[in-house]
PDB file of all heavy atoms in Angstrom:
ATOM      1  N   LYS M  16     103.559 100.637  94.276  1.00  0.00           N
ATOM      2  CA  LYS M  16     104.056  99.804  93.176  1.00  0.00           C
ATOM      3  C   LYS M  16     103.932 100.546  91.853  1.00  0.00           C
ATOM      4  O   LYS M  16     104.832 100.502  91.017  1.00  0.00           O
ATOM      5  CB  LYS M  16     103.286  98.486  93.114  1.00  0.00           C
ATOM      6  CG  LYS M  16     103.655  97.511  94.211  1.00  0.00           C
ATOM      7  CD  LYS M  16     102.807  96.245  94.108  1.00  0.00           C
ATOM      8  CE  LYS M  16     103.055  95.339  95.286  1.00  0.00           C
ATOM      9  NZ  LYS M  16     102.140  94.178  95.287  1.00  0.00           N
ATOM     10  N   ALA M  17     102.788 101.229  91.644  1.00  0.00           N
ATOM     11  CA  ALA M  17     102.580 101.984  90.409  1.00  0.00           C
ATOM     12  C   ALA M  17     103.585 103.133  90.314  1.00  0.00           C
ATOM     13  O   ALA M  17     104.155 103.398  89.249  1.00  0.00           O
ATOM     14  CB  ALA M  17     101.152 102.516  90.335  1.00  0.00           C
ATOM     15  N   LEU M  18     103.837 103.802  91.432  1.00  0.00           N
ATOM     16  CA  LEU M  18     104.810 104.890  91.452  1.00  0.00           C
ATOM     17  C   LEU M  18     106.203 104.360  91.124  1.00  0.00           C
ATOM     18  O   LEU M  18     106.931 104.953  90.316  1.00  0.00           O
ATOM     19  CB  LEU M  18     104.815 105.582  92.811  1.00  0.00           C
ATOM     20  CG  LEU M  18     105.771 106.759  92.938  1.00  0.00           C
ATOM     21  CD1 LEU M  18     105.346 107.906  92.032  1.00  0.00           C
ATOM     22  CD2 LEU M  18     105.847 107.217  94.380  1.00  0.00           C
ATOM     23  N   ASP M  19     106.589 103.237  91.734  1.00  0.00           N
ATOM     24  CA  ASP M  19     107.886 102.624  91.436  1.00  0.00           C
ATOM     25  C   ASP M  19     108.002 102.308  89.949  1.00  0.00           C
ATOM     26  O   ASP M  19     109.040 102.557  89.332  1.00  0.00           O
ATOM     27  CB  ASP M  19     108.082 101.343  92.246  1.00  0.00           C
ATOM     28  CG  ASP M  19     108.379 101.599  93.709  1.00  0.00           C
ATOM     29  OD1 ASP M  19     108.786 102.729  94.050  1.00  0.00           O
ATOM     30  OD2 ASP M  19     108.202 100.665  94.516  1.00  0.00           O
ATOM     31  N   GLU M  20     106.938 101.741  89.375  1.00  0.00           N
ATOM     32  CA  GLU M  20     106.963 101.385  87.961  1.00  0.00           C
ATOM     33  C   GLU M  20     107.128 102.630  87.089  1.00  0.00           C
ATOM     34  O   GLU M  20     107.917 102.640  86.142  1.00  0.00           O
ATOM     35  CB  GLU M  20     105.682 100.641  87.572  1.00  0.00           C
ATOM     36  CG  GLU M  20     105.688 100.164  86.137  1.00  0.00           C
ATOM     37  CD  GLU M  20     104.483  99.316  85.789  1.00  0.00           C
ATOM     38  OE1 GLU M  20     103.937  98.636  86.689  1.00  0.00           O
ATOM     39  OE2 GLU M  20     104.096  99.336  84.615  1.00  0.00           O
ATOM     40  N   LEU M  21     106.418 103.696  87.435  1.00  0.00           N
ATOM     41  CA  LEU M  21     106.526 104.939  86.680  1.00  0.00           C
ATOM     42  C   LEU M  21     107.951 105.486  86.729  1.00  0.00           C
ATOM     43  O   LEU M  21     108.541 105.827  85.697  1.00  0.00           O
ATOM     44  CB  LEU M  21     105.547 105.980  87.235  1.00  0.00           C
ATOM     45  CG  LEU M  21     105.526 107.329  86.532  1.00  0.00           C
ATOM     46  CD1 LEU M  21     104.962 107.184  85.130  1.00  0.00           C
ATOM     47  CD2 LEU M  21     104.695 108.314  87.337  1.00  0.00           C
ATOM     48  N   VAL M  22     108.521 105.542  87.924  1.00  0.00           N
ATOM     49  CA  VAL M  22     109.887 106.064  88.085  1.00  0.00           C
ATOM     50  C   VAL M  22     110.895 105.152  87.399  1.00  0.00           C
ATOM     51  O   VAL M  22     111.782 105.625  86.672  1.00  0.00           O
ATOM     52  CB  VAL M  22     110.232 106.241  89.577  1.00  0.00           C
ATOM     53  CG1 VAL M  22     111.715 106.530  89.765  1.00  0.00           C
ATOM     54  CG2 VAL M  22     109.382 107.340  90.197  1.00  0.00           C
ATOM     55  N   ASN M  23     110.764 103.842  87.592  1.00  0.00           N
ATOM     56  CA  ASN M  23     111.734 102.893  87.037  1.00  0.00           C
ATOM     57  C   ASN M  23     111.708 102.831  85.516  1.00  0.00           C
ATOM     58  O   ASN M  23     112.687 102.433  84.886  1.00  0.00           O
ATOM     59  CB  ASN M  23     111.521 101.500  87.624  1.00  0.00           C
ATOM     60  CG  ASN M  23     111.863 101.442  89.102  1.00  0.00           C
ATOM     61  OD1 ASN M  23     112.655 102.233  89.602  1.00  0.00           O
ATOM     62  ND2 ASN M  23     111.245 100.510  89.805  1.00  0.00           N
ATOM     63  N   ASN M  24     110.580 103.222  84.910  1.00  0.00           N
ATOM     64  CA  ASN M  24     110.449 103.168  83.455  1.00  0.00           C
ATOM     65  C   ASN M  24     110.489 104.548  82.816  1.00  0.00           C
ATOM     66  O   ASN M  24     110.045 104.727  81.682  1.00  0.00           O
ATOM     67  CB  ASN M  24     109.158 102.437  83.066  1.00  0.00           C
ATOM     68  CG  ASN M  24     109.231 100.971  83.419  1.00  0.00           C
ATOM     69  OD1 ASN M  24     110.192 100.294  83.074  1.00  0.00           O
ATOM     70  ND2 ASN M  24     108.247 100.480  84.143  1.00  0.00           N
ATOM     71  N   SER M  25     111.016 105.529  83.536  1.00  0.00           N
ATOM     72  CA  SER M  25     111.130 106.894  83.020  1.00  0.00           C
ATOM     73  C   SER M  25     112.570 107.368  83.149  1.00  0.00           C
ATOM     74  O   SER M  25     113.265 107.021  84.099  1.00  0.00           O
ATOM     75  CB  SER M  25     110.236 107.852  83.821  1.00  0.00           C
ATOM     76  OG  SER M  25     108.886 107.483  83.729  1.00  0.00           O
ATOM     77  N   GLU M  26     112.973 108.185  82.200  1.00  0.00           N
ATOM     78  CA  GLU M  26     114.279 108.828  82.302  1.00  0.00           C
ATOM     79  C   GLU M  26     114.140 110.028  83.228  1.00  0.00           C
ATOM     80  O   GLU M  26     113.191 110.816  83.110  1.00  0.00           O
ATOM     81  CB  GLU M  26     114.750 109.284  80.930  1.00  0.00           C
ATOM     82  CG  GLU M  26     116.106 109.954  80.956  1.00  0.00           C
ATOM     83  CD  GLU M  26     116.538 110.466  79.589  1.00  0.00           C
ATOM     84  OE1 GLU M  26     115.762 110.366  78.616  1.00  0.00           O
ATOM     85  OE2 GLU M  26     117.664 110.990  79.520  1.00  0.00           O
ATOM     86  N   ILE M  27     115.063 110.159  84.171  1.00  0.00           N
ATOM     87  CA  ILE M  27     115.069 111.302  85.084  1.00  0.00           C
ATOM     88  C   ILE M  27     115.927 112.395  84.457  1.00  0.00           C
ATOM     89  O   ILE M  27     117.098 112.173  84.159  1.00  0.00           O
ATOM     90  CB  ILE M  27     115.623 110.910  86.465  1.00  0.00           C
ATOM     91  CG1 ILE M  27     114.730 109.849  87.112  1.00  0.00           C
ATOM     92  CG2 ILE M  27     115.750 112.148  87.355  1.00  0.00           C
ATOM     93  CD1 ILE M  27     115.309 109.242  88.373  1.00  0.00           C
ATOM     94  N   ILE M  28     115.310 113.553  84.243  1.00  0.00           N
ATOM     95  CA  ILE M  28     116.012 114.705  83.677  1.00  0.00           C
ATOM     96  C   ILE M  28     116.232 115.718  84.800  1.00  0.00           C
ATOM     97  O   ILE M  28     115.269 116.204  85.394  1.00  0.00           O
ATOM     98  CB  ILE M  28     115.184 115.375  82.554  1.00  0.00           C
ATOM     99  CG1 ILE M  28     114.767 114.369  81.492  1.00  0.00           C
ATOM    100  CG2 ILE M  28     115.940 116.567  81.967  1.00  0.00           C
ATOM    101  CD1 ILE M  28     115.879 113.744  80.708  1.00  0.00           C
ATOM    102  N   ILE M  29     117.480 116.007  85.121  1.00  0.00           N
ATOM    103  CA  ILE M  29     117.804 117.015  86.131  1.00  0.00           C
ATOM    104  C   ILE M  29     118.092 118.311  85.377  1.00  0.00           C
ATOM    105  O   ILE M  29     119.160 118.488  84.800  1.00  0.00           O
ATOM    106  CB  ILE M  29     119.028 116.611  86.993  1.00  0.00           C
ATOM    107  CG1 ILE M  29     118.782 115.292  87.700  1.00  0.00           C
ATOM    108  CG2 ILE M  29     119.368 117.730  87.986  1.00  0.00           C
ATOM    109  CD1 ILE M  29     117.615 115.288  88.658  1.00  0.00           C
ATOM    110  N   ASP M  30     117.110 119.217  85.368  1.00  0.00           N
ATOM    111  CA  ASP M  30     117.294 120.481  84.668  1.00  0.00           C
ATOM    112  C   ASP M  30     117.612 121.639  85.616  1.00  0.00           C
ATOM    113  O   ASP M  30     117.909 122.747  85.169  1.00  0.00           O
ATOM    114  CB  ASP M  30     116.091 120.813  83.794  1.00  0.00           C
ATOM    115  CG  ASP M  30     114.781 120.895  84.537  1.00  0.00           C
ATOM    116  OD1 ASP M  30     114.729 120.520  85.727  1.00  0.00           O
ATOM    117  OD2 ASP M  30     113.786 121.341  83.935  1.00  0.00           O
ATOM    118  N   ARG M  31     117.577 121.361  86.919  1.00  0.00           N
ATOM    119  CA  ARG M  31     117.932 122.371  87.916  1.00  0.00           C
ATOM    120  C   ARG M  31     118.819 121.712  88.983  1.00  0.00           C
ATOM    121  O   ARG M  31     118.352 121.338  90.052  1.00  0.00           O
ATOM    122  CB  ARG M  31     116.678 122.968  88.540  1.00  0.00           C
ATOM    123  CG  ARG M  31     115.807 123.648  87.477  1.00  0.00           C
ATOM    124  CD  ARG M  31     114.524 124.141  88.025  1.00  0.00           C
ATOM    125  NE  ARG M  31     113.657 124.555  86.934  1.00  0.00           N
ATOM    126  CZ  ARG M  31     112.447 125.008  87.096  1.00  0.00           C
ATOM    127  NH1 ARG M  31     111.929 125.129  88.304  1.00  0.00           N
ATOM    128  NH2 ARG M  31     111.717 125.345  86.058  1.00  0.00           N
ATOM    129  N   PRO M  32     120.101 121.571  88.677  1.00  0.00           N
ATOM    130  CA  PRO M  32     121.009 120.895  89.605  1.00  0.00           C
ATOM    131  C   PRO M  32     121.170 121.657  90.923  1.00  0.00           C
ATOM    132  O   PRO M  32     121.006 122.884  90.973  1.00  0.00           O
ATOM    133  CB  PRO M  32     122.336 120.857  88.854  1.00  0.00           C
ATOM    134  CG  PRO M  32     122.020 121.160  87.431  1.00  0.00           C
ATOM    135  CD  PRO M  32     120.756 121.966  87.436  1.00  0.00           C
ATOM    136  N   LYS M  33     121.507 120.906  91.944  1.00  0.00           N
ATOM    137  CA  LYS M  33     121.806 121.473  93.259  1.00  0.00           C
ATOM    138  C   LYS M  33     122.808 122.612  93.094  1.00  0.00           C
ATOM    139  O   LYS M  33     123.794 122.482  92.359  1.00  0.00           O
ATOM    140  CB  LYS M  33     122.386 120.366  94.145  1.00  0.00           C
ATOM    141  CG  LYS M  33     122.762 120.795  95.530  1.00  0.00           C
ATOM    142  CD  LYS M  33     123.308 119.599  96.293  1.00  0.00           C
ATOM    143  CE  LYS M  33     123.758 119.988  97.680  1.00  0.00           C
ATOM    144  NZ  LYS M  33     124.239 118.829  98.433  1.00  0.00           N
ATOM    145  N   GLY M  34     122.524 123.746  93.729  1.00  0.00           N
ATOM    146  CA  GLY M  34     123.424 124.893  93.673  1.00  0.00           C
ATOM    147  C   GLY M  34     123.079 125.918  92.606  1.00  0.00           C
ATOM    148  O   GLY M  34     123.656 127.008  92.583  1.00  0.00           O
ATOM    149  N   THR M  35     122.138 125.580  91.702  1.00  0.00           N
ATOM    150  CA  THR M  35     121.747 126.537  90.665  1.00  0.00           C
ATOM    151  C   THR M  35     120.538 127.346  91.119  1.00  0.00           C
ATOM    152  O   THR M  35     119.834 126.972  92.061  1.00  0.00           O
ATOM    153  CB  THR M  35     121.417 125.833  89.331  1.00  0.00           C
ATOM    154  OG1 THR M  35     120.305 124.949  89.510  1.00  0.00           O
ATOM    155  CG2 THR M  35     122.622 125.054  88.820  1.00  0.00           C
ATOM    156  N   SER M  36     120.293 128.459  90.436  1.00  0.00           N
ATOM    157  CA  SER M  36     119.167 129.311  90.811  1.00  0.00           C
ATOM    158  C   SER M  36     117.944 129.012  89.945  1.00  0.00           C
ATOM    159  O   SER M  36     118.059 128.515  88.822  1.00  0.00           O
ATOM    160  CB  SER M  36     119.546 130.789  90.706  1.00  0.00           C
ATOM    161  OG  SER M  36     119.920 131.105  89.389  1.00  0.00           O
ATOM    162  N   HIS M  37     116.784 129.334  90.474  1.00  0.00           N
ATOM    163  CA  HIS M  37     115.510 129.156  89.770  1.00  0.00           C
ATOM    164  C   HIS M  37     115.484 130.109  88.574  1.00  0.00           C
ATOM    165  O   HIS M  37     115.918 131.248  88.685  1.00  0.00           O
ATOM    166  CB  HIS M  37     114.361 129.462  90.735  1.00  0.00           C
ATOM    167  CG  HIS M  37     113.022 129.102  90.188  1.00  0.00           C
ATOM    168  ND1 HIS M  37     112.370 129.881  89.255  1.00  0.00           N
ATOM    169  CD2 HIS M  37     112.198 128.063  90.456  1.00  0.00           C
ATOM    170  CE1 HIS M  37     111.207 129.342  88.967  1.00  0.00           C
ATOM    171  NE2 HIS M  37     111.077 128.232  89.671  1.00  0.00           N
ATOM    172  N   PRO M  38     114.968 129.675  87.410  1.00  0.00           N
ATOM    173  CA  PRO M  38     114.979 130.535  86.224  1.00  0.00           C
ATOM    174  C   PRO M  38     114.155 131.824  86.372  1.00  0.00           C
ATOM    175  O   PRO M  38     114.522 132.852  85.805  1.00  0.00           O
ATOM    176  CB  PRO M  38     114.414 129.649  85.112  1.00  0.00           C
ATOM    177  CG  PRO M  38     113.844 128.450  85.770  1.00  0.00           C
ATOM    178  CD  PRO M  38     114.435 128.344  87.139  1.00  0.00           C
ATOM    179  N   LYS M  39     113.078 131.777  87.140  1.00  0.00           N
ATOM    180  CA  LYS M  39     112.241 132.975  87.314  1.00  0.00           C
ATOM    181  C   LYS M  39     112.548 133.734  88.600  1.00  0.00           C
ATOM    182  O   LYS M  39     112.233 134.915  88.708  1.00  0.00           O
ATOM    183  CB  LYS M  39     110.759 132.596  87.323  1.00  0.00           C
ATOM    184  CG  LYS M  39     110.232 132.140  85.991  1.00  0.00           C
ATOM    185  CD  LYS M  39     108.741 131.873  86.077  1.00  0.00           C
ATOM    186  CE  LYS M  39     108.205 131.355  84.757  1.00  0.00           C
ATOM    187  NZ  LYS M  39     106.799 130.976  84.845  1.00  0.00           N
ATOM    188  N   TYR M  40     113.115 133.062  89.582  1.00  0.00           N
ATOM    189  CA  TYR M  40     113.398 133.655  90.887  1.00  0.00           C
ATOM    190  C   TYR M  40     114.877 133.441  91.216  1.00  0.00           C
ATOM    191  O   TYR M  40     115.236 132.506  91.922  1.00  0.00           O
ATOM    192  CB  TYR M  40     112.500 133.025  91.964  1.00  0.00           C
ATOM    193  CG  TYR M  40     111.042 133.042  91.578  1.00  0.00           C
ATOM    194  CD1 TYR M  40     110.415 131.897  91.089  1.00  0.00           C
ATOM    195  CD2 TYR M  40     110.301 134.213  91.682  1.00  0.00           C
ATOM    196  CE1 TYR M  40     109.076 131.916  90.717  1.00  0.00           C
ATOM    197  CE2 TYR M  40     108.962 134.237  91.314  1.00  0.00           C
ATOM    198  CZ  TYR M  40     108.351 133.094  90.831  1.00  0.00           C
ATOM    199  OH  TYR M  40     107.031 133.122  90.463  1.00  0.00           O
ATOM    200  N   PRO M  41     115.747 134.301  90.711  1.00  0.00           N
ATOM    201  CA  PRO M  41     117.199 134.072  90.834  1.00  0.00           C
ATOM    202  C   PRO M  41     117.717 134.009  92.267  1.00  0.00           C
ATOM    203  O   PRO M  41     118.781 133.452  92.497  1.00  0.00           O
ATOM    204  CB  PRO M  41     117.820 135.238  90.072  1.00  0.00           C
ATOM    205  CG  PRO M  41     116.719 136.197  89.781  1.00  0.00           C
ATOM    206  CD  PRO M  41     115.423 135.499  89.963  1.00  0.00           C
ATOM    207  N   ASP M  42     116.972 134.534  93.227  1.00  0.00           N
ATOM    208  CA  ASP M  42     117.407 134.450  94.627  1.00  0.00           C
ATOM    209  C   ASP M  42     117.170 133.063  95.223  1.00  0.00           C
ATOM    210  O   ASP M  42     117.708 132.745  96.276  1.00  0.00           O
ATOM    211  CB  ASP M  42     116.689 135.497  95.484  1.00  0.00           C
ATOM    212  CG  ASP M  42     117.134 136.917  95.145  1.00  0.00           C
ATOM    213  OD1 ASP M  42     118.237 137.074  94.571  1.00  0.00           O
ATOM    214  OD2 ASP M  42     116.383 137.852  95.442  1.00  0.00           O
ATOM    215  N   PHE M  43     116.354 132.256  94.540  1.00  0.00           N
ATOM    216  CA  PHE M  43     116.070 130.907  95.025  1.00  0.00           C
ATOM    217  C   PHE M  43     117.135 129.957  94.480  1.00  0.00           C
ATOM    218  O   PHE M  43     117.276 129.791  93.272  1.00  0.00           O
ATOM    219  CB  PHE M  43     114.678 130.441  94.591  1.00  0.00           C
ATOM    220  CG  PHE M  43     114.376 129.038  95.018  1.00  0.00           C
ATOM    221  CD1 PHE M  43     113.889 128.779  96.285  1.00  0.00           C
ATOM    222  CD2 PHE M  43     114.601 127.965  94.167  1.00  0.00           C
ATOM    223  CE1 PHE M  43     113.625 127.487  96.699  1.00  0.00           C
ATOM    224  CE2 PHE M  43     114.339 126.670  94.571  1.00  0.00           C
ATOM    225  CZ  PHE M  43     113.854 126.432  95.842  1.00  0.00           C
ATOM    226  N   ILE M  44     117.879 129.332  95.375  1.00  0.00           N
ATOM    227  CA  ILE M  44     118.929 128.383  94.997  1.00  0.00           C
ATOM    228  C   ILE M  44     118.483 126.968  95.366  1.00  0.00           C
ATOM    229  O   ILE M  44     118.069 126.714  96.497  1.00  0.00           O
ATOM    230  CB  ILE M  44     120.256 128.698  95.731  1.00  0.00           C
ATOM    231  CG1 ILE M  44     120.679 130.153  95.495  1.00  0.00           C
ATOM    232  CG2 ILE M  44     121.356 127.709  95.320  1.00  0.00           C
ATOM    233  CD1 ILE M  44     120.943 130.510  94.046  1.00  0.00           C
ATOM    234  N   TYR M  45     118.554 126.053  94.415  1.00  0.00           N
ATOM    235  CA  TYR M  45     118.193 124.658  94.676  1.00  0.00           C
ATOM    236  C   TYR M  45     119.231 124.018  95.579  1.00  0.00           C
ATOM    237  O   TYR M  45     120.419 124.062  95.286  1.00  0.00           O
ATOM    238  CB  TYR M  45     118.059 123.880  93.363  1.00  0.00           C
ATOM    239  CG  TYR M  45     116.807 124.258  92.621  1.00  0.00           C
ATOM    240  CD1 TYR M  45     116.815 125.283  91.688  1.00  0.00           C
ATOM    241  CD2 TYR M  45     115.614 123.615  92.891  1.00  0.00           C
ATOM    242  CE1 TYR M  45     115.655 125.657  91.025  1.00  0.00           C
ATOM    243  CE2 TYR M  45     114.452 123.976  92.229  1.00  0.00           C
ATOM    244  CZ  TYR M  45     114.479 124.997  91.303  1.00  0.00           C
ATOM    245  OH  TYR M  45     113.320 125.363  90.673  1.00  0.00           O
ATOM    246  N   ARG M  46     118.764 123.410  96.678  1.00  0.00           N
ATOM    247  CA  ARG M  46     119.673 122.758  97.623  1.00  0.00           C
ATOM    248  C   ARG M  46     119.683 121.243  97.448  1.00  0.00           C
ATOM    249  O   ARG M  46     120.433 120.536  98.108  1.00  0.00           O
ATOM    250  CB  ARG M  46     119.288 123.140  99.053  1.00  0.00           C
ATOM    251  CG  ARG M  46     119.466 124.657  99.281  1.00  0.00           C
ATOM    252  CD  ARG M  46     119.166 125.066 100.684  1.00  0.00           C
ATOM    253  NE  ARG M  46     117.730 124.948 100.949  1.00  0.00           N
ATOM    254  CZ  ARG M  46     117.208 124.855 102.162  1.00  0.00           C
ATOM    255  NH1 ARG M  46     117.978 124.848 103.230  1.00  0.00           N
ATOM    256  NH2 ARG M  46     115.903 124.761 102.319  1.00  0.00           N
ATOM    257  N   VAL M  47     118.837 120.738  96.552  1.00  0.00           N
ATOM    258  CA  VAL M  47     118.777 119.323  96.173  1.00  0.00           C
ATOM    259  C   VAL M  47     118.502 119.313  94.668  1.00  0.00           C
ATOM    260  O   VAL M  47     117.793 120.186  94.159  1.00  0.00           O
ATOM    261  CB  VAL M  47     117.638 118.591  96.935  1.00  0.00           C
ATOM    262  CG1 VAL M  47     117.499 117.148  96.475  1.00  0.00           C
ATOM    263  CG2 VAL M  47     117.857 118.641  98.443  1.00  0.00           C
ATOM    264  N   ASP M  48     119.071 118.351  93.927  1.00  0.00           N
ATOM    265  CA  ASP M  48     118.809 118.256  92.484  1.00  0.00           C
ATOM    266  C   ASP M  48     117.310 118.200  92.217  1.00  0.00           C
ATOM    267  O   ASP M  48     116.567 117.491  92.913  1.00  0.00           O
ATOM    268  CB  ASP M  48     119.456 116.994  91.895  1.00  0.00           C
ATOM    269  CG  ASP M  48     120.965 117.095  91.757  1.00  0.00           C
ATOM    270  OD1 ASP M  48     121.493 118.219  91.747  1.00  0.00           O
ATOM    271  OD2 ASP M  48     121.607 116.032  91.657  1.00  0.00           O
ATOM    272  N   TYR M  49     116.869 118.932  91.177  1.00  0.00           N
ATOM    273  CA  TYR M  49     115.452 119.016  90.846  1.00  0.00           C
ATOM    274  C   TYR M  49     115.281 118.805  89.350  1.00  0.00           C
ATOM    275  O   TYR M  49     116.084 119.287  88.548  1.00  0.00           O
ATOM    276  CB  TYR M  49     114.926 120.402  91.236  1.00  0.00           C
ATOM    277  CG  TYR M  49     113.445 120.597  91.070  1.00  0.00           C
ATOM    278  CD1 TYR M  49     112.556 120.102  92.002  1.00  0.00           C
ATOM    279  CD2 TYR M  49     112.939 121.294  89.984  1.00  0.00           C
ATOM    280  CE1 TYR M  49     111.193 120.287  91.868  1.00  0.00           C
ATOM    281  CE2 TYR M  49     111.581 121.494  89.842  1.00  0.00           C
ATOM    282  CZ  TYR M  49     110.716 120.994  90.786  1.00  0.00           C
ATOM    283  OH  TYR M  49     109.358 121.178  90.646  1.00  0.00           O
ATOM    284  N   GLY M  50     114.248 118.083  88.982  1.00  0.00           N
ATOM    285  CA  GLY M  50     113.999 117.842  87.566  1.00  0.00           C
ATOM    286  C   GLY M  50     112.629 117.253  87.345  1.00  0.00           C
ATOM    287  O   GLY M  50     111.677 117.564  88.061  1.00  0.00           O
ATOM    288  N   TYR M  51     112.542 116.348  86.370  1.00  0.00           N
ATOM    289  CA  TYR M  51     111.248 115.759  86.021  1.00  0.00           C
ATOM    290  C   TYR M  51     111.456 114.392  85.376  1.00  0.00           C
ATOM    291  O   TYR M  51     112.569 114.040  84.977  1.00  0.00           O
ATOM    292  CB  TYR M  51     110.471 116.686  85.090  1.00  0.00           C
ATOM    293  CG  TYR M  51     111.157 116.933  83.761  1.00  0.00           C
ATOM    294  CD1 TYR M  51     110.856 116.160  82.641  1.00  0.00           C
ATOM    295  CD2 TYR M  51     112.119 117.934  83.620  1.00  0.00           C
ATOM    296  CE1 TYR M  51     111.489 116.379  81.432  1.00  0.00           C
ATOM    297  CE2 TYR M  51     112.753 118.165  82.426  1.00  0.00           C
ATOM    298  CZ  TYR M  51     112.430 117.382  81.327  1.00  0.00           C
ATOM    299  OH  TYR M  51     113.072 117.596  80.126  1.00  0.00           O
ATOM    300  N   LEU M  52     110.366 113.640  85.289  1.00  0.00           N
ATOM    301  CA  LEU M  52     110.375 112.354  84.605  1.00  0.00           C
ATOM    302  C   LEU M  52     109.996 112.594  83.147  1.00  0.00           C
ATOM    303  O   LEU M  52     108.936 113.183  82.876  1.00  0.00           O
ATOM    304  CB  LEU M  52     109.379 111.387  85.247  1.00  0.00           C
ATOM    305  CG  LEU M  52     109.622 111.014  86.700  1.00  0.00           C
ATOM    306  CD1 LEU M  52     108.497 110.102  87.195  1.00  0.00           C
ATOM    307  CD2 LEU M  52     110.969 110.341  86.886  1.00  0.00           C
ATOM    308  N   SER M  53     110.842 112.158  82.221  1.00  0.00           N
ATOM    309  CA  SER M  53     110.547 112.363  80.803  1.00  0.00           C
ATOM    310  C   SER M  53     109.297 111.585  80.399  1.00  0.00           C
ATOM    311  O   SER M  53     108.951 110.567  81.002  1.00  0.00           O
ATOM    312  CB  SER M  53     111.735 111.935  79.942  1.00  0.00           C
ATOM    313  OG  SER M  53     111.937 110.540  80.051  1.00  0.00           O
ATOM    314  N   ASP M  54     108.630 112.101  79.406  1.00  0.00           N
ATOM    315  CA  ASP M  54     107.431 111.461  78.844  1.00  0.00           C
ATOM    316  C   ASP M  54     106.333 111.218  79.874  1.00  0.00           C
ATOM    317  O   ASP M  54     105.637 110.202  79.831  1.00  0.00           O
ATOM    318  CB  ASP M  54     107.793 110.142  78.136  1.00  0.00           C
ATOM    319  CG  ASP M  54     108.764 110.367  76.989  1.00  0.00           C
ATOM    320  OD1 ASP M  54     108.612 111.376  76.272  1.00  0.00           O
ATOM    321  OD2 ASP M  54     109.680 109.543  76.817  1.00  0.00           O
ATOM    322  N   THR M  55     106.201 112.138  80.833  1.00  0.00           N
ATOM    323  CA  THR M  55     105.100 112.107  81.797  1.00  0.00           C
ATOM    324  C   THR M  55     104.478 113.490  81.806  1.00  0.00           C
ATOM    325  O   THR M  55     105.024 114.441  81.230  1.00  0.00           O
ATOM    326  CB  THR M  55     105.593 111.774  83.228  1.00  0.00           C
ATOM    327  OG1 THR M  55     106.478 112.810  83.684  1.00  0.00           O
ATOM    328  CG2 THR M  55     106.275 110.419  83.284  1.00  0.00           C
ATOM    329  N   SER M  56     103.324 113.624  82.443  1.00  0.00           N
ATOM    330  CA  SER M  56     102.710 114.953  82.560  1.00  0.00           C
ATOM    331  C   SER M  56     102.081 115.106  83.926  1.00  0.00           C
ATOM    332  O   SER M  56     101.607 114.146  84.530  1.00  0.00           O
ATOM    333  CB  SER M  56     101.674 115.187  81.462  1.00  0.00           C
ATOM    334  OG  SER M  56     100.615 114.275  81.585  1.00  0.00           O
ATOM    335  N   SER M  57     102.109 116.333  84.391  1.00  0.00           N
ATOM    336  CA  SER M  57     101.557 116.683  85.688  1.00  0.00           C
ATOM    337  C   SER M  57     100.478 117.738  85.477  1.00  0.00           C
ATOM    338  O   SER M  57     100.155 118.097  84.340  1.00  0.00           O
ATOM    339  CB  SER M  57     102.686 117.205  86.580  1.00  0.00           C
ATOM    340  OG  SER M  57     102.265 117.280  87.916  1.00  0.00           O
ATOM    341  N   MET M  58      99.955 118.269  86.561  1.00  0.00           N
ATOM    342  CA  MET M  58      98.868 119.245  86.483  1.00  0.00           C
ATOM    343  C   MET M  58      99.251 120.477  85.670  1.00  0.00           C
ATOM    344  O   MET M  58      98.405 121.080  85.034  1.00  0.00           O
ATOM    345  CB  MET M  58      98.438 119.688  87.881  1.00  0.00           C
ATOM    346  CG  MET M  58      97.755 118.603  88.690  1.00  0.00           C
ATOM    347  SD  MET M  58      96.200 118.050  87.980  1.00  0.00           S
ATOM    348  CE  MET M  58      95.220 119.534  88.111  1.00  0.00           C
TER     349      MET M  58
END
């Protein structure tokens, strides 16, 4: 429930769309959209 609330109340920013390469490792191509939740922090 807490996870749902966090996701539902955050903007999802897709900064690495499917098909694009990793900024530091250009051989790595994202096969699923990747991003982050705005106004949150991780480790």
